[in-house]
Structure formats: C-alpha cells, structure tokens
Amino acid sequence: MSRDISDVTRAQHGRTVHHWRRDIMAAFHTWWTRRHGHAPPTTDTSTRPLPTEQAGVPERALWRMRTTVKDEPGSLAALCIALAGQQVDILSLQTHPLAEGTVDEFLLRAPGEIAADDIARAIDQAGGTGTWIERADAHDLVDAPTRVLGLATRTALDAAELPLALRQLLGRCTIRSLPAAPPGGGRAPQGVPVEGALEDTVMRLRAPEGGVITVERPYLPFTPTEFARARALVELDARLGPRVPRGQDVLTLPEGNAITVRRAGTDDLEAATAMHERCSARTLSLRYHGPVGDAHRYLHHLLSPRFGRTLAVQTASGRIVGLGHLLWDGDETEVALLVEDEWQGRGIGSELLRRLVAMAVEAGCENVYAVTQSSNTGMVAAMRGLGLPLDYQIEEGTLVITARLDAPLGAAEGTVGVTRA
C-alpha cells in the first residue's frame, strides 16, 4: 500500500499543498464552493446566514454574535434593550477593549423563528457596527475560562493538538505552520518578533521550533484578547517541548503475524529512514511524487507533531514497516500512507487509514482528502473501504479523493484481533 503527494514533497517545487490544490481544482468550481462554504459571501457585510439546507428550525436557537460599539456609557445597555425587543436572551457576554471602541461578544438564545438578519439589523440600529453572527451549539455553553483550560490540557498532553486548540479557541480560521527551513529547500518564512504580530485579520506567532504559525480569519478581525490567548497556548507548547502520547495497539493480521500500531514522532526518524531504504523506487514514487532519492529529506517534517499526527506500524522485532500521516493543511486535512513492499497487501494500509480518519473525526474535521495517482488501485480501495461518502476529482493522472466525515465508518477489515498495550 502506498500513497503519493504530501505537503512537504510538493514544497520541493516551491508550492504548498494549498496552492497546488487550488490550481488543479479550478475545473471543479462547484466542489470547491461546497468545501469552502464556511466563508461568508462577498456581499455579506454584517451577518453569516445559515446554510439554506437547514429546514427544521428549533423552537429556541443558540447564536454567537460579535459587534463593535463606542466605548461610552449606555452603549451596551442599548444593545441589551434591542435584544430584549427581539425576545432574545443573553446567556454570556465577553468584552474586548480596543484602541477605539469595544468589541462585545454574546452567546444568545433566540426564538426559532428569529433569523440572523433580524438580530443583526436590531443590533445595527442600536449602535453596533461590524456585526457578525453564526449558529452556536451546546459546546458554546461552556464558560470561556473552562474552555481555555480544557484546550490547554489537550495541548499539554499532545503537541499535535496545538493547531486544533487554536482553531477551537478562535473559531473558524485557517492555521498554517511554516517550518524555519522548508524541507526540500525553498524560501524560509518571514520571521516574527518573540511576542508575535497581530494585523487585523491575521496573527503570526513564533513556533517553538523556530518556524512561524500563521492564523487567518478574513471575515472577522482578531481582538488583542484573542491574540493574547493564542500566544499563551503557543508559549505553553514551547515550554513543554516535543511530546507524543504513549500507548499502542497490538494487531493480529489474517495470516497470524502480530504487529504494533502506535503514535510516532521525530524520535523515530532513524527507523523511518531505514524503512525508506527498504522500499522500492515505485513505492516511494507513488508516495512522494518526486525524486525518490530525496524522500528521506522530508521525514523529519512529516514526523513532527507540529504538522499533524503520525502512526507507525512496527513488527515484533521493532522494525517500522508502515507510516500513516494525518496532515493539517490550513483549513483542510490530508491523509497519506506508506507501507513497505514486503508488507503490502495484508490490510496494514487500510488499518492505518481507518485510524487516521477516526483521529480526524475526533478532531472535528469535516472531511479528509488523499492525493494519489489514478493507477494506485490500493489507495483507491482503501478509501472505498472506509464506507464513507467519497468525491473524486482527476486531472492529468492525478486523483484527489475526498471522504466526507458525516457518516460512521464502515466495518473494519483486514485484522482479526486488537490488544491494548
């Protein structure tokens, strides 16, 4: 089982996966629009409308709303009166002082028949500007300090959680980690001060390993309070250093061989490089889509928890024979597989893929994609074996398979026993 193109291998051509996919997907406008439907339309100046497919409106609906008011007595009271006039309850309120004005962030409960536009219009008439509103859920009922402490705990336990924690902290945004020395060469990202940099809808933070973490939310400016919280999470990650959760599963393959599946990190670089050297040129070419002699140069990047999560398959003798990567790609998520030739065809790739997708579901991802060659029947079969809705796009022999994570995973195949260790 093998799988091609990852972010780091495409970096050797001077292009990130995000840009590469934008180019080859130009012919699939409808698909692209659906995948990026979370951004407000260009004509939207005040509110984020609900998706049109939502039919059953609940009796009482939860909303998150943010608006800017003048920093003067009575401005907040005017907003409260306007909300009361719409029969809207205020469940929580946070204020973010700015140099000019104050940003008020509300969690609201409103009658089901009240639309987002109605609430925003009342707020605008009461003196609010730049009003932004979206549907909330039960998770938003947790108070801010409790939620931030929970995110800090997750980050402390697993370095790969940092991008996810930032996204949950800041809402819908695009997060990219740029290494100080891009694998395969290329231009290094522009440095940032130790304290980071905030520019309206973009914040740039210095990554613990020397790179740059960029967070962008084009439709909603960041406040200094949000910037301070994000910086605190990154500083916590830096102080704790590299860390990967312990624990492993022992699997029994159909022919009776026992293998171990566990999280991997940069400590596994030597063993992963040795696996590369045992792989055939075809296997490496299907995985990396580039000069196979350069494949090992990207392993340190791939194994870093900064850019995603890696699973390793290990034999009883301790030899790594398979790697599976879940890569954070801005606001999307990529899955990638590499299985040593001798161990292909035994269900290892399918098992790795299922576990990576389960991680993506746990992380709240809406979909995952794999980029492969149309001739790579093994990867296509593994994706189909997930039992999830799939989208296919192909151009010039390159196949992008997107699995939508809105359905339960299908039944597991290829293994007959699992033992927790």
Side-chain angles (χ1 to χ4, degrees):
M1 174 67 64
S2 60
R3 143 73 183 78
D4 57 10
I5 309 178
S6 70
D7 188 10
V8 294
T9 58
R10 284 188 292 274
Q12 67 183 323
H13 303 293
R15 310 176 70 186
T16 65
V17 61
H18 188 73
H19 294 149
W20 182 86
R21 296 193 69 234
R22 281 181 181 271
D23 291 343
I24 70 166
M25 292 300 108
F28 305 100
H29 175 72
T30 302
W31 170 82
W32 186 257
T33 302
R34 178 186 61 77
R35 287 176 65 91
H36 293 75
H38 62 263
T42 55
T43 56
D44 179 16
T45 58
S46 61
T47 65
R48 281 190 70 236
L50 287 176
T52 56
E53 65 268 22
Q54 291 188 351
V57 180
E59 191 172 328
R60 300 287 287 180
L62 293 176
W63 298 92
R64 290 176 57 225
M65 185 188 72
R66 179 177 293 197
T67 191
T68 303
V69 297
K70 295 180 179 179
D71 187 10
E72 60 184 31
S75 59
L76 177 58
L79 299 183
C80 295
I81 293 172
L83 292 171
Q86 297 284 327
Q87 301 298 309
V88 176
D89 297 331
I90 300 174
L91 302 182
S92 68
L93 167 65
Q94 294 186 66
T95 61
H96 306 274
L98 304 177
E100 295 183 4
T102 299
V103 173
D104 290 332
E105 186 171 356
F106 297 86
L107 178 62
L108 306 173
R109 183 170 57 200
E113 66 272 13
I114 299 295
D117 285 340
D118 297 330
I119 300 175
R121 189 178 301 110
I123 291 298
D124 291 343
Q125 293 173 354
T129 60
T131 303
W132 169 88
I133 187 170
E134 73 170 355
R135 183 63 63 83
D137 58 31
H139 295 92
D140 293 295
L141 293 172
V142 180
D143 68 280
T146 301
R147 184 159 56 93
V148 171
L149 285 172
L151 296 177
T153 300
R154 288 176 50 183
T155 302
L157 294 174
D158 185 353
E161 288 285 334
L162 179 62
L164 303 176
L166 287 172
R167 184 170 296 166
Q168 291 194 21
L169 176 69
L170 302 169
R172 293 179 183 268
C173 56
T174 299
I175 300 174
R176 292 188 175 87
S177 295
L178 305 176
R187 190 173 183 178
Q190 181 181 356
V192 296
V194 175
E195 66 276 10
L198 173 61
E199 300 174 0
D200 198 31
T201 60
V202 179
M203 65 172 70
R204 301 170 67 235
L205 303 164
R206 179 176 293 186
E209 68 281 357
V212 176
I213 299 174
T214 301
V215 187
E216 185 173 1
R217 189 174 62 189
Y219 57 89
L220 187 64
F222 293 110
T223 66
T225 301
E226 289 177 312
F227 179 57
R229 291 172 179 171
R231 189 172 59 189
L233 268 181
V234 174
E235 290 176 353
L236 171 66
D237 181 85
R239 287 181 177 274
L240 294 175
R243 58 209 177 278
V244 174
R246 299 184 181 274
Q248 58 188 26
D249 287 346
V250 179
L251 308 180
T252 303
L253 297 176
E255 67 270 21
N257 292 332
I259 59 172
T260 298
V261 180
R262 60 174 177 80
R263 285 284 298 276
T266 52
D267 291 344
D268 296 294
L269 180 60
E270 183 177 350
T273 302
M275 185 193 77
H276 266 194
E277 294 173 351
R278 296 191 300 270
C279 288
S280 67
R282 171 172 170 75
T283 292
L284 293 177
S285 175
L286 285 173
R287 168 60 181 88
Y288 293 108
H289 244 231
V292 297
D294 295 337
H296 66 279
R297 298 172 58 187
Y298 310 112
L299 277 174
H300 189 277
H301 179 100
L302 288 169
L303 292 171
S304 170
R306 183 70 54 237
F307 305 101
R309 298 173 179 170
T310 298
L311 292 176
V313 174
Q314 186 174 295
T315 65
S317 64
R319 173 183 291 186
I320 290 181
V321 297
L323 291 171
H325 305 285
L326 186 70
L327 302 169
W328 313 135
D329 174 23
D331 54 357
E332 300 177 343
T333 307
E334 181 185 7
V335 288
L337 302 175
L338 177 65
V339 177
E340 190 177 326
D341 297 65
E342 183 181 338
W343 290 82
Q344 293 176 16
R346 307 188 192 188
I348 292 177
S350 296
E351 180 65 25
L352 280 175
L353 183 60
R354 286 181 52 80
R355 289 167 179 264
L356 294 172
V357 170
M359 287 181 175
V361 171
E362 183 183 7
C365 301
E366 296 180 358
N367 50 61
V368 297
Y369 72 88
V371 187
T372 188
Q373 296 178 10
S374 56
S375 60
N376 191 348
T377 56
M379 188 64 185
V380 174
M383 292 292 288
R384 292 182 62 184
L386 294 171
L388 294 171
L390 301 178
D391 293 334
Y392 300 86
Q393 291 82 36
I394 186 169
E395 182 167 314
E396 298 181 357
T398 298
L399 176 65
V400 179
I401 309 175
T402 302
R404 302 198 307 274
L405 307 184
D406 53 4
L409 290 174
E413 298 179 359
T415 59
V416 295
V418 180
T419 303
R420 297 281 178 181

